[in-house]
Amino acid sequence: MKEKVFIETYGCQMNVYDTELVKSILTKHKFSIVDKEEQAEIVMLNTCSVRDNANRKIYNRVHEIKKQNQNALIGVLGCMATNFKKDLLDNTKLKIDFIAGPDSYKQLPTLIEDLRETNEKTYDINLSEFETYSDVYPVREKGVNAWIAVMRGCNNFCTFCVVPYTRGRERSRDPLNVVEEVKRLVSEGYKQVTLLGQNVNSYKFEDFDFADLIKMVSDVEGVERIRYTSPHPKDYPTKLLKVMAERDNVCKQLHMPLQAGNDRVLHKMNRTYTKQEFLDLIAHAREIIPNVKISTDIIVGFPTETQEEFEDTVEVMNKVKFDQAFIFKYSERPNTRAAQKFPDDVSEPDKTKRIVECVELQKEHSLESNQSEIGKTHMLLIEEEFSKKNPELAVGRTDCNKVVSFLRNNNKVGDLVPVKITQASPHGLRGLL
Ligand code: SF4
């Protein structure tokens, strides 16, 4: 009998992709994937370890599952597995049966078999220098976009980040293997691919760099759109920007995680660039790719950040006017360099004051950016036939990643349609077919 497995995914796109890999690995062995927890004999939680409340959420979830489904085996996957192995396995209150780190998913069938045979908890959290799962074809959700992890791990060691410890060193897939996957995805009806990596633009396989990979993927017939995430500002050579400018099916949007605007704080974060270098890169990118839309990540209240130093972040926001920004309060992550070395000394009220200021400012900039689209016609790739908010509307995305809702016609998910922008808000656009 095939054991029934229910998988719950937390955190980043890489975890969403990893869950698709795990489904593929398990279905190849004697497991079937169910979409209801109560039907499952095995429940797997694919976890994130980036934010403080991520852990608490998982501990509560384990208790809930055990209450509802006492006989189910519980497995913890993802970054918490590598970051909190001891807590997860030794904590007797937490009834976790097995754990597997991001490089150990091919071991899952064996971990479960051993657990069944010995009734002992099992785990594998070894980090690999080679594992890229290039021989595993993920079991994906149907849709417009397919995520493809082209590299894994990160060598940057930003002091606030746990990823280099939970996902190991960088390694990239053979570009020919990636191109084969893209061709298969096109044949399955996907219109867009998003290339994934913790530090995607440091992709390197033999002599091939990220610009080469983008070109090869862009040459695949039938790929309407190519996006990628998550990049690091230190890996944006002119070659990459030029390929983005030259290729119509490469989306004209850049994610440039700034994190902070002050050089002393950037140094303490180990971000390897200065405020001026970041601003120069933005100017260079806008020169090579006119109309490129730029989003960013910002952390406020990093240890020892003063009010004056925070104002450097605000200054960069005003100089760049990002189209979109993901803004977070610093939260100390166990086992990161910052947690070991720097006291979390910026008070909660100061963190709150700073995040509110950034969010309000970004709202103004996003509105300004969206208002500049009014009157323009954009090709939209339709992602939702019926908007969740209003079923009369369909939802699509512009090349530069702006979300537009418009009165639905007979459009289907995956259609590319020209829509004239008529209204703007900080969070999105309205248009007319
Ligand atoms: S680049 Fe920095 S923030 Fe991003 S995954 Fe690597 S260490 Fe973490």
Side-chain angles (χ1 to χ4, degrees):
M1 267 295 289
K2 287 194 170 197
E3 289 204 80
K4 297 189 189 78
V5 178
F6 173 78
I7 309 175
E8 207 163 275
T9 306
Y10 296 81
C12 66
Q13 278 313 331
M14 191 58 110
N15 259 8
V16 174
Y17 180 83
D18 283 357
T19 292
E20 295 174 344
L21 286 175
V22 168
K23 287 180 179 173
S24 178
I25 292 164
L26 293 176
T27 42
K28 273 212 184 66
H29 290 78
K30 52 179 178 44
F31 299 92
S32 66
I33 308 297
V34 293
D35 52 18
K36 290 200 177 55
E37 176 207 319
E38 53 279 10
Q39 299 166 348
E41 282 127 341
I42 303 171
V43 176
M44 296 185 186
L45 305 174
N46 187 1
T47 62
C48 164
S49 198
V50 162
R51 305 259 176 262
D52 184 29
N53 57 11
N55 299 23
R56 247 176 291 154
K57 225 191 268 177
I58 295 298
Y59 295 160
N60 299 341
R61 196 69 193 98
V62 170
H63 289 305
E64 264 171 37
I65 295 165
K66 267 298 173 191
K67 253 196 311 201
Q68 284 150 5
N69 191 342
Q70 282 198 348
N71 302 324
L73 290 183
I74 298 183
V76 169
L77 314 183
C79 292
M80 272 184 74
T82 17
N83 204 14
F84 297 102
K85 171 199 160 243
K86 223 173 159 330
D87 304 4
L88 293 169
L89 289 179
D90 301 355
N91 178 335
T92 47
K93 288 203 207 83
L94 270 182
K95 303 219 175 346
I96 289 169
D97 302 291
F98 62 94
I99 67 172
D103 291 345
S104 309
Y105 297 146
K106 288 179 183 168
Q107 281 44 301
L108 278 166
T110 316
L111 289 175
I112 296 164
E113 212 169 295
D114 293 354
L115 169 61
R116 290 282 188 215
E117 274 162 23
T118 64
N119 216 11
E120 296 287 321
K121 295 186 178 192
T122 55
Y123 67 90
D124 187 320
I125 55 161
N126 295 328
L127 291 175
S128 160
E129 287 180 37
F130 310 103
E131 183 60 85
T132 60
Y133 299 105
S134 57
D135 54 345
V136 179
Y137 192 73
V139 174
R140 291 181 169 89
E141 299 293 321
K142 271 274 152 261
V144 168
N145 174 63
W147 306 96
I148 308 179
V150 296
M151 59 88 69
R152 300 180 75 88
C154 184
N155 297 350
N156 290 330
F157 292 93
C158 302
T159 54
F160 53 81
C161 183
V162 81
V163 170
Y165 308 98
T166 59
R167 286 182 170 272
R169 297 293 64 72
E170 290 175 10
R171 64 230 102 124
S172 300
R173 283 171 62 180
D174 180 335
L176 299 175
N177 171 262
V178 175
V179 165
E180 277 321 301
E181 185 162 344
V182 174
K183 286 181 180 161
R184 187 169 165 184
L185 288 165
V186 169
S187 72
E188 291 170 0
Y190 290 91
K191 293 285 171 56
Q192 174 178 289
V193 293
T194 303
L195 308 182
L196 276 181
Q198 307 305 143
N199 185 15
V200 70
N201 53 349
S202 77
Y203 170 95
K204 186 87 178 124
F205 185 89
E206 293 166 1
D207 299 337
F208 294 93
D209 63 16
F210 193 54
D212 299 324
L213 178 67
I214 292 252
K215 234 190 222 166
M216 291 166 77
V217 172
S218 157
D219 286 340
V220 175
E221 206 169 322
V223 178
E224 301 282 358
R225 289 199 170 159
I226 300 164
R227 300 185 191 276
Y228 59 86
T229 193
S230 195
H232 191 292
K234 75 174 182 27
D235 297 311
Y236 270 115
T238 303
K239 177 182 173 186
L240 173 58
L241 298 171
K242 284 198 167 147
V243 168
M244 291 182 68
E246 288 154 10
R247 299 292 175 119
D248 291 345
N249 59 0
V250 179
C251 293
K252 308 298 179 271
Q253 65 154 129
L254 287 172
H255 187 58
M256 290 272 193
L258 168 71
Q259 305 297 8
N262 173 270
D263 289 351
R264 188 190 69 80
V265 176
L266 283 168
H267 182 69
K268 231 175 159 57
M269 287 177 164
N270 191 30
R271 289 294 289 173
T272 70
Y273 51 82
T274 63
K275 173 168 83 173
Q276 195 51 50
E277 284 164 346
F278 185 88
L279 291 169
D280 293 347
L281 175 59
I282 297 281
H284 186 51
R286 283 177 167 160
E287 209 180 296
I288 295 177
I289 317 170
N291 299 327
V292 67
K293 298 300 175 213
I294 301 180
S295 56
T296 194
D297 297 331
I298 289 172
I299 295 174
V300 300
F302 186 76
T304 73
E305 181 189 63
T306 63
Q307 179 58 29
E308 292 68 41
E309 290 168 338
F310 165 69
E311 275 146 26
D312 285 329
T313 300
V314 175
E315 185 203 331
V316 173
M317 289 180 76
N318 279 319
K319 280 197 172 146
V320 174
K321 292 205 169 163
F322 295 103
D323 300 282
Q324 195 182 16
F326 306 92
I327 306 164
F328 306 96
K329 289 181 191 174
Y330 172 74
S331 72
E332 195 174 82
R333 301 309 311 128
N335 306 328
T336 58
R337 282 209 197 142
Q340 285 147 11
K341 289 188 175 172
F342 315 135
D344 185 4
D345 58 1
V346 177
S347 71
E348 200 50 35
D350 280 349
K351 284 182 185 174
T352 303
K353 198 160 75 36
R354 291 174 194 180
I355 199 167
V356 169
E357 183 175 342
C358 283
V359 169
E360 287 311 311
L361 181 60
Q362 185 53 45
K363 240 194 238 164
E364 285 171 31
H365 293 162
S366 296
L367 179 58
E368 206 179 310
S369 165
N370 287 347
Q371 280 171 337
S372 72
E373 303 300 332
I374 293 177
K376 292 182 189 162
T377 296
H378 279 281
M379 289 305 290
L380 299 190
L381 183 56
I382 299 190
E383 295 181 347
E384 295 166 35
E385 246 169 87
F386 304 89
S387 147
K388 294 187 189 69
K389 292 195 193 103
N390 173 349
E392 283 180 10
L393 300 176
V395 176
R397 206 173 279 266
T398 67
D399 163 284
C400 48
N401 208 26
K402 288 186 183 283
V403 177
V404 185
S405 48
F406 59 98
L407 267 181
R408 200 162 46 74
N409 196 343
N410 301 327
N411 311 105
K412 294 268 166 302
V413 168
D415 289 357
L416 264 169
V417 291
V419 170
K420 187 170 183 181
I421 308 301
T422 54
Q423 287 169 45
S425 77
H427 309 295
L429 300 165
R430 276 291 297 273
L432 271 182
L433 269 174

